[in-house]
């Protein structure tokens, strides 16, 4: 496994500077001492130049291939639209660059397999942005599982509710499975260590934007996942929660139960004449700020030391298989085995 001199910051190129990319760019430039943002890549004319100036990055490109060829770049953080992820991983790996890629790492199993093969051939780090693994509540629950305190997992639950405000015209079909619930599918696996999904049954509808259902937009879904150790997981998502951004989880085992997340912005509870109230988080970047920094810190550490990434291509492949099975289950109105889609 390639590594970077432990005494030097890891030179990182950011590819894609939308909402999530901009947050990662700020982290690389301002919040992560072990990394140095050396390039910004964005195809929109002038965008990369503006952000590179703002973040003191020495290079700006409109073409990712130029960043791959830049000797100052040790690693890339991919936050481009999902349809480009797999090809960008392949290009980076073939250039010898370590890769952090936002989820999903690919939209089709065959594309993701090519990306994983390229990473293996180049012997570089690949980490995928399944941020919930880095949230303290979820990490603590996994610790209890690893210690045997929860016992054998029996029932699992993962919830994602976005705050809304999306443009339905910009949401591709199956996004709720491929880009939202894929976090929950990875979470179910994370909370059931060593087990793999074998069958998926999903139901979904357009309850936030009903007029868009005939155009393929599903915005509310519940997915049941059966695992090979007998555990049953339920993942649910909706694109609009009036009270903000809400992620929660639960693992019920033979010896106890762990629950994670409550959506609070802080631990403060206000009691007044009208009752009690709490502030809720209004975005993922507010609720999961620490996790977004921690996942990049783990990536930089893996690049520097040559250690495996804590969540890699095979994890992305397993979560994608569940997502593909869920989408097919809705279309065919029947349970779908992982074997039917894992090709």
């Amino acid at each position: 496994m390639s590594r970077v001199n432990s005494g030097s910051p890891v030179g990182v190129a950011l590819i894609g500077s939308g909402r999530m990319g901009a947050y990662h760019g700020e982290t690389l430039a301002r919040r992560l001492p072990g990394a140095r943002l050396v390039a910004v890549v964005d195809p929109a004319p002038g965008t990369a130049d503006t952000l590179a100036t703002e973040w003191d990055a020495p290079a700006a490109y409109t073409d990712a291939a130029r960043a791959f060829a830049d000797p100052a770049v040790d690693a890339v953080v991919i936050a481009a639209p999902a349809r480009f992820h797999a090809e960008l991983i392949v290009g980076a790996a073939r250039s010898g660059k370590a890769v952090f890629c936002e989820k999903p790492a690919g939209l089709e199993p065959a594309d993701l397999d090519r990306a994983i093969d390229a990473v293996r051939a180049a012997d570089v780090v690949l980490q995928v942005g399944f941020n919930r693994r880095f949230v303290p509540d979820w990490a603590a629950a996994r610790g209890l599982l690893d210690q045997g305190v929860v016992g054998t997992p029996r029932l699992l639950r993962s919830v994602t509710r976005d705050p809304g405000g999306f443009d339905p015209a910009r949401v591709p079909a199956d996004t709720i499975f491929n880009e939202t619930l894929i976090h929950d599918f990875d979470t179910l696996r994370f909370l059931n260590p060593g087990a793999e999904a074998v069958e998926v049954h999903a139901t979904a509808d357009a309850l936030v934007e009903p007029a868009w259902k005939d155009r393929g937009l599903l915005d509310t879904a519940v997915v049941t996942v059966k695992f090979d150790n007998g555990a049953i997981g339920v993942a649910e998502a909706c694109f609009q929660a009036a009270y903000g951004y809400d992620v929660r989880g639960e693992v019920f085992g033979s010896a106890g139960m762990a629950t994670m997340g409550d959506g609070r912005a802080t631990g403060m509870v206000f009691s007044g004449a009208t009752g009690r109230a709490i502030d809720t988080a209004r975005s993922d970047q507010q609720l999961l700020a620490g996790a977004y920094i921690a996942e990049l810190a783990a990536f930089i550490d893996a690049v520097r030391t040559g250690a495996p990434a804590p969540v890699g291509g095979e994890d992305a492949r397993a979560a994608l298989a569940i997502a593909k099975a869920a989408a097919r289950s809705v279309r065919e109105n029947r349970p779908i085995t992982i074997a039917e889609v894992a090709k």
Side-chain angles (χ1 to χ4, degrees):
M1 185 74 72
S2 60
R3 66 181 67 194
V4 173
N5 187 313
S6 60
S8 305
V10 175
V12 184
L14 173 71
I15 302 176
S17 59
R19 188 185 70 87
M20 199 64 245
Y23 193 88
H24 286 324
E26 188 74 22
T27 294
L28 293 164
R30 310 272 192 252
R31 308 182 185 111
L32 209 56
R36 179 172 179 245
L37 184 66
V38 296
V40 179
V41 181
D42 195 289
T47 299
D49 295 277
T50 299
L51 290 173
T53 299
E54 178 183 341
W55 292 329
D56 299 320
Y61 305 117
T62 55
D63 184 355
R66 295 187 64 192
F68 299 155
D70 188 335
V73 175
D74 303 307
V76 300
V77 169
I78 297 172
R83 64 186 181 275
F84 301 120
H85 286 183
E87 286 303 320
L88 288 168
I89 293 171
V90 170
R94 288 178 177 171
S95 300
K97 313 301 184 183
V99 182
F100 177 97
C101 184
E102 268 301 334
K103 53 73 195 170
L107 290 172
E108 296 296 335
D111 293 335
L112 187 46
D113 285 342
R114 286 192 303 105
I116 293 170
D117 288 344
V119 166
R120 286 176 177 160
D123 195 27
V124 295
V125 172
L126 169 62
Q127 183 172 325
V128 181
F130 288 131
N131 54 63
R132 226 158 289 179
R133 294 179 180 231
F134 298 88
V135 180
D137 287 10
W138 276 257
R142 175 57 185 263
L144 293 181
L145 284 158
D146 291 341
Q147 296 163 32
V149 175
V150 180
T152 303
R154 292 174 176 170
L155 295 173
L156 310 155
R157 185 170 183 241
S158 186
V159 173
T160 298
R161 295 173 185 166
D162 289 333
F166 65 97
D167 178 359
R170 296 173 60 88
V171 181
D174 295 341
T175 289
I176 196 164
F177 304 113
N178 293 336
E179 300 192 44
T180 300
L181 277 162
I182 201 160
H183 274 301
D184 301 276
F185 301 149
D186 180 68
T187 296
L188 295 180
R189 295 183 65 249
F190 183 61
L191 297 176
N192 193 15
E196 293 296 345
V198 293
E199 186 179 272
V200 177
H201 196 185
T203 184
D205 209 333
L207 303 182
V208 180
E209 294 283 353
W212 284 82
K213 182 176 180 179
D214 291 342
R215 282 173 271 190
L217 174 61
L218 300 171
D219 53 44
T220 307
V222 177
V223 182
T224 302
V225 182
K226 293 183 180 180
F227 288 87
D228 58 9
N229 65 345
I232 302 171
V234 176
E236 66 169 77
C238 184
F239 283 174
Q240 183 182 68
Y243 53 87
Y245 183 72
D246 182 9
V247 295
R248 283 173 281 131
E250 179 180 289
V251 52
F252 169 75
S254 58
M257 177 179 70
T259 59
M260 299 78 76
D262 63 8
R264 297 185 186 208
T266 71
M268 185 273 291
V269 177
F270 173 72
S271 299
T274 59
R276 289 184 174 176
I278 63 171
D279 288 329
T280 54
R282 297 291 161 164
S283 73
D284 56 341
Q285 294 173 1
Q286 181 186 12
L287 185 65
L288 305 177
Y292 285 131
I293 296 171
E295 65 180 355
L296 285 181
F299 170 64
I300 295 300
D301 186 61
V303 174
R304 177 174 286 113
T305 64
V311 50
E314 294 301 330
D315 297 303
R317 182 66 162 78
L320 179 64
I322 299 173
K324 302 299 286 187
R328 184 168 170 182
S329 176
V330 171
R331 288 193 296 270
E332 299 184 12
N333 193 28
R334 68 178 180 91
I336 301 294
T337 66
I338 293 297
E340 292 179 77
V341 297
K343 299 176 182 177

